[in-house]
Amino acid sequence: MRYYILFGPPGAGKGTHASAIVENYSLKHISTGELLRAEIAAGTELGRQAKALIADGQLVPDSVVEGMIKNAFDTIKDVDGFLLDGFPRTLGQARDLDAMLSERGEEVSAILSIMIPDSLIYERIHHRAEIEGRADDASDETIRHRIKTYHDQTEPLIEYYKAAGKYHEVQGDSPVTEENRKRVLALVESVW
Ligand code: AMP
């Protein structure tokens, strides 16, 4: 199995690129953010716990998202691999993912990083708020928190995966252009 990580700040276009990638490759797209929003919509206990943290732009506990990832690895078999989107988001999650995969005799295949400057993040998230109506896209304060959380807790993963020789970066675009989509697909092809 292949294990790709789609990486980047909030609003980098990860969801849009993920859709294009899974149209072209037999990979299961796992977005921890989408799974959490589904739990909230279904009114589960897990959703209730996650709701306030997400609305505030904070991360949910590692154990919660790791449980969802492990469940996906255990149950989804009929694909060539996984495209993880929004996970891992902390060094602890990255290390736990390595351990989870090594128990299966597997490893992370590559990190596909979509980079956009902070100045574009607001523009993209405001645009998305109009289309998708996500609660955590609604206020500038929440967006600011998510950007800070990204810089403090998620950005260190870049060095972690560079050290492992698995980090690949392309510039993102706002909105995602056809040329940008092709650039990301070319990156996937080059690391396949
Ligand atoms: P996303 O759709 O990836 O932007 O995720 C939306 C929100 O869900 C994030 O701001 C976090 O509150 C939460 N979340 C998603 N993935 C993770 C993760 N790997 N670790 C912790 N919290 C997460």
Side-chain angles (χ1 to χ4, degrees):
M1 288 282 235
R2 294 161 197 272
Y3 296 85
Y4 294 102
I5 296 169
L6 200 51
F7 185 87
K14 296 190 291 294
T16 307
H17 287 298
S19 304
I21 293 169
V22 298
E23 264 176 34
N24 287 272
Y25 296 90
S26 171
L27 296 173
K28 175 71 181 169
H29 174 209
I30 307 278
S31 156
T32 42
E34 272 173 25
L35 291 175
L36 289 166
R37 283 188 288 280
E39 295 280 344
I40 293 171
T44 64
E45 180 54 33
L46 194 158
R48 257 197 305 280
Q49 289 168 11
K51 190 173 178 176
L53 291 168
I54 293 177
D56 193 35
Q58 296 188 51
L59 298 181
V60 306
D62 289 351
S63 58
V64 170
V65 282
E66 287 170 11
M68 298 192 305
I69 293 288
K70 184 174 181 309
N71 182 46
F73 290 168
D74 284 345
T75 54
I76 298 166
K77 306 284 177 203
D78 53 345
V79 287
D80 291 339
F82 292 86
L83 180 63
L84 304 180
D85 164 3
F87 178 90
R89 240 175 168 106
T90 63
L91 277 175
Q93 290 177 16
R95 293 192 185 108
D96 291 344
L97 174 63
D98 281 347
M100 225 187 280
L101 291 180
S102 118
E103 273 172 20
R104 293 161 195 264
E106 304 273 11
E107 60 176 310
V108 168
S109 309
I111 315 306
L112 317 166
S113 175
I114 322 285
M115 266 312 132
I116 60 169
D118 284 3
S119 55
L120 273 189
I121 296 178
Y122 286 93
E123 187 185 313
R124 273 197 59 92
I125 293 185
H126 285 148
H127 177 67
R128 185 170 68 188
E130 284 167 24
I131 300 169
E132 296 179 17
R134 270 174 58 170
D136 61 341
D137 284 347
S139 91
D140 276 354
E141 202 195 334
T142 303
I143 300 171
R144 247 194 317 278
H145 256 144
R146 278 155 68 202
I147 294 174
K148 184 172 177 349
T149 303
Y150 168 77
H151 286 306
D152 291 349
Q153 300 194 53
T154 306
E155 218 165 38
L157 296 187
I158 295 177
E159 288 309 317
Y160 181 81
Y161 286 115
K162 273 187 182 166
K166 294 183 175 176
Y167 184 80
H168 305 268
E169 183 175 306
V170 292
Q171 277 312 114
D173 250 351
S174 174
V176 174
T177 57
E178 188 51 31
E179 194 228 316
N180 192 214
R181 201 190 311 267
K182 283 190 182 142
R183 218 179 311 145
V184 173
L185 286 173
L187 171 60
V188 179
E189 191 60 34
S190 74
V191 295
W192 187 257

